[in-house]
Amino acid sequence: MSATGNLLKFLVLCVVWGLTWIAVKAGVETIPPMLFAATRFIAAGALLLAWSAKRGQMPAPRKVGATRLVIVSLLMITLCYGPLFWGMKFVASGTAAVLEMSLTPLALLAFGMAAGEEHWNAARAGAMLLGVVGLCVLFAPSRGEGNLSDLQSFVGLVAIAWAAISSAWGSVMARPLVSRYGSTTLSGATTLIGGTVLLMLSFAIEPGSLTALSQMWEWKAIAGWLFLVIFGSLIGYSIYVQLLRDIGPAALRSSHPQSRFPLVQFWRRKQLASRALQGWR
């Protein structure tokens, strides 16, 4: 893929994933978060694998890489979006966006260095330190406010932070699998495997999940779910896997889609920055 093609994909991904925060928040307000995430990924995974099979691109199952595929599915889907969706039940979508988009490039850099795709130097050390200091400046003045001092809100922030780390870890591990399975098949497999595990966890530990699955959802939750399936997963996640193949996690680190522009959260980021400046005066 040409540099121009990758740039266009990246811009589409920026817009799509920038809008997903509203869709997630609309769903988790009324639907158990893990169930909401799991059903989204199972539906998207099944559709992606069906499309791959129809085009004759489904590789024969083999043991080589199977363990890595399962681990990547757990890291990028189950252990990422389960905590992320749950955390957003207690944290404002704008706050979640700022935290996640700030941590993801840092985590990609750290795991990229661990995998040998990045090399440690003073500039990268300074970048990581600056990122950590920036997060402290943004959130420290808010520690006494109700929206962050509450225990559930704090645990929600921790869950969102972990989601960024888990996603970055899985992204670095996923790149060798793209050439083996193809981007569409890998997208479908990871979302289906990760979503299935997440659904089982939801049934096991999430109150009201079975009841919610058997009832009619509110229109906002349905609209959010459809947006996440079609745009967040079928389009957005597939493009992300293609970019992992074409430019790698190291390059994505410096221009991660959610760090570039979660469009609908721009005003929230401005509010946080203003609050931080006032808090430190």
Side-chain angles (χ1 to χ4, degrees):
M1 175 65 68
S2 66
T4 301
N6 285 330
L7 177 60
L8 290 175
K9 287 182 179 181
F10 177 77
L11 292 175
V12 171
L13 193 56
C14 285
V15 174
V16 170
W17 275 6
L19 293 170
T20 56
W21 298 98
I22 287 180
V24 173
K25 194 65 176 178
V28 300
E29 287 180 347
T30 57
I31 307 300
M34 292 172 64
L35 176 69
F36 189 65
T39 53
R40 163 231 179 145
F41 286 116
I42 290 173
L47 289 171
L48 285 168
L49 289 177
W51 176 249
S52 182
K54 182 178 180 180
R55 298 177 64 186
Q57 297 177 345
M58 182 83 75
R62 47 187 173 179
K63 293 183 179 180
V64 178
T67 301
R68 192 184 190 96
L69 175 61
V70 171
I71 293 174
V72 167
S73 300
L74 295 177
L75 287 172
M76 295 189 71
I77 304 299
T78 309
L79 298 177
C80 172
Y81 287 94
L84 178 63
F85 277 43
W86 181 87
M88 286 189 65
K89 188 173 183 178
F90 308 105
V91 177
S93 58
T95 303
V98 171
L99 179 61
E100 201 274 348
M101 73 185 185
S102 301
L103 281 179
T104 298
L106 293 175
L108 281 171
L109 173 58
F111 287 114
M113 288 190 297
E117 296 190 15
E118 294 271 14
H119 299 287
W120 184 262
N121 57 36
R124 287 177 171 82
M128 294 186 73
L129 179 61
L130 183 62
V132 172
V133 171
L135 286 174
C136 292
V137 170
L138 282 175
F139 287 101
S142 303
R143 63 188 181 277
E145 298 183 6
N147 65 325
L148 292 182
S149 59
D150 176 74
L151 178 60
Q152 284 185 325
S153 296
F154 174 76
V155 176
L157 288 173
V158 173
I160 293 167
W162 163 255
I165 295 170
S166 182
S167 174
W169 190 359
S171 296
V172 172
M173 290 189 64
R175 192 181 188 190
L177 297 176
V178 185
S179 58
R180 181 174 299 161
Y181 294 101
S183 60
T184 303
T185 300
L186 182 62
S187 300
T190 53
T191 51
L192 184 60
I193 294 170
T196 300
V197 175
L198 192 56
L199 183 63
M200 292 188 291
L201 287 173
S202 174
F203 289 157
I205 66 175
E206 198 166 35
S209 58
L210 285 171
T211 302
L213 191 62
S214 62
Q215 293 179 342
M216 184 66 180
W217 294 358
E218 293 184 7
W219 72 267
K220 289 193 300 183
I222 295 174
W225 187 88
L226 287 173
F227 182 89
L228 291 170
V229 170
I230 297 171
F231 294 98
S233 293
L234 295 181
I235 297 175
Y237 186 74
S238 296
I239 291 176
Y240 183 72
V241 172
Q242 292 171 18
L243 290 174
L244 280 179
R245 174 197 64 200
D246 296 336
I247 66 177
L252 277 174
R253 178 260 305 168
S254 61
S255 54
H256 189 263
Q258 297 187 74
S259 71
R260 282 295 181 187
F261 73 96
L263 295 175
V264 297
Q265 305 307 337
F266 175 78
W267 179 249
R268 175 61 177 168
R269 186 175 186 180
K270 183 178 179 181
Q271 286 180 316
L272 281 175
S274 176
R275 182 195 306 161
L277 290 174
Q278 292 174 0
W280 286 101
R281 285 175 181 172

